[in-house]
Amino acid sequence: MQAQTPCYKQINNIILVASGKGGVGKSTTAVNLALALSQPSGENPGAKVGLLDADVYGPSLPLMMGMQGQRPTSLDGKVMEPLSKYGIKVNSIGFLINPEDAAVWRGPMASSALSQLIGETNWGELDYLIVDMPPGTGDIQLTISQKFPCTGAVVVTTPQNIALADAEKGVAMFGKVNIPVLGIVENMSHFQCSKCGSVEHIFGKDGAVAMAKDHGTELLGQIPLQQINRENSDNGTPTVTTDGPMADIYRDIAKKLIEQLVLTQQNNAASSGPEISFIDD
Ligand code: ADP
């Protein structure tokens, strides 16, 4: 019998979006990043993108993408067909189970469910699969990082010390499993009053700037705390599907991410040593 090719074999880049702790805006970033990568800009036709919500303990993709109540189908009873919205392919643990049931899952059960979601969804050919990881650095995160050919990780944090300390653990974990950290996103960087315009650094100032510098990693961007961002997520119309300065910040982060990806690939090629070629003269 011919062995079946795993569904992720046609994915060029699996990118993990992670955070040390919950509530820092990891899912919001993952959703907007996936959509930004898929959008055409200038000469760039836009990439083929998949988005997997692997946040078993708090799947938010169905709400943020306006897809509640939908469910992936299967043509052969084995492999799931991903759903599609705003031009990207999506799957979420939230489409398949009641989130309250997942909340009591032990680590191995959650790891196995996530492995199925990545490996048994018919993603087809993708330039990028963005994986919204569960928060933290435990067994589930390690299993996913080691089991799949992950290209790199993006770590999301707020500038607050308590979030940064956990984000550092995330960076260390990816180091241990040899997944390059492509950059850090600082979310909720500051708040600007819509009435008087004054800027307040509610969670501290530039914490991720210092962290990126310490780890020799790129700061991909700083996203302000904005009511419209929260409203867009709650309404199922992610900020990047609209126009405005907030959408541009996410697009800029996506651009920087691609730059880091290219740099990492070039460094890997250079460190794998020179190739010997034979030239007839
Ligand atoms: P996580 O995935 O880290 O748990 P979420 O992306 O679910 O975090 O975000 C937590 C909450 O904060 C959500 O209600 C989301 O809409 C809101 N949020 C995230 N980023 C921002 C932001 N930059 N401005 C305003 N609200 C935000």
Side-chain angles (χ1 to χ4, degrees), residues 22-28 64 187-188 223-226 229-230:
V24 297
K26 170 182 54 60
S27 301
T28 312
M64 289 183 178
N187 191 35
M188 308 186 186
I223 306 166
L225 185 63
Q226 286 259 308
N229 209 22
R230 197 267 308 149

Side-chain angles (χ1 to χ4, degrees), residues 10 12 27 29 34 37 51 74 115 127 134 141 155 164 170 186 254 277:
Q10 288 173 280
N12 282 337
S27 301
T29 306
L37 287 166
L51 172 64
S74 174
S115 298
D127 297 308
Q141 290 78 3
V155 175
L164 290 166
E186 186 183 87
S277 57

Side-chain angles (χ1 to χ4, degrees), residues 27-44:
S27 301
T28 312
T29 306
V31 165
N32 281 292
L33 197 52
L35 290 167
L37 287 166
S38 75
Q39 290 178 341
S41 87
E43 303 277 284
N44 172 2

Side-chain angles (χ1 to χ4, degrees), residues 236-251:
T237 49
T239 294
V240 159
T241 64
T242 66
D243 279 326
M246 278 297 272
D248 289 342
I249 292 175
Y250 285 115
R251 292 191 188 109

Side-chain angles (χ1 to χ4, degrees), residues 27 53 55-61 99 132:
S27 301
D53 175 11
D55 194 345
V56 235
Y57 299 120
S60 37
L61 183 147
D132 178 12

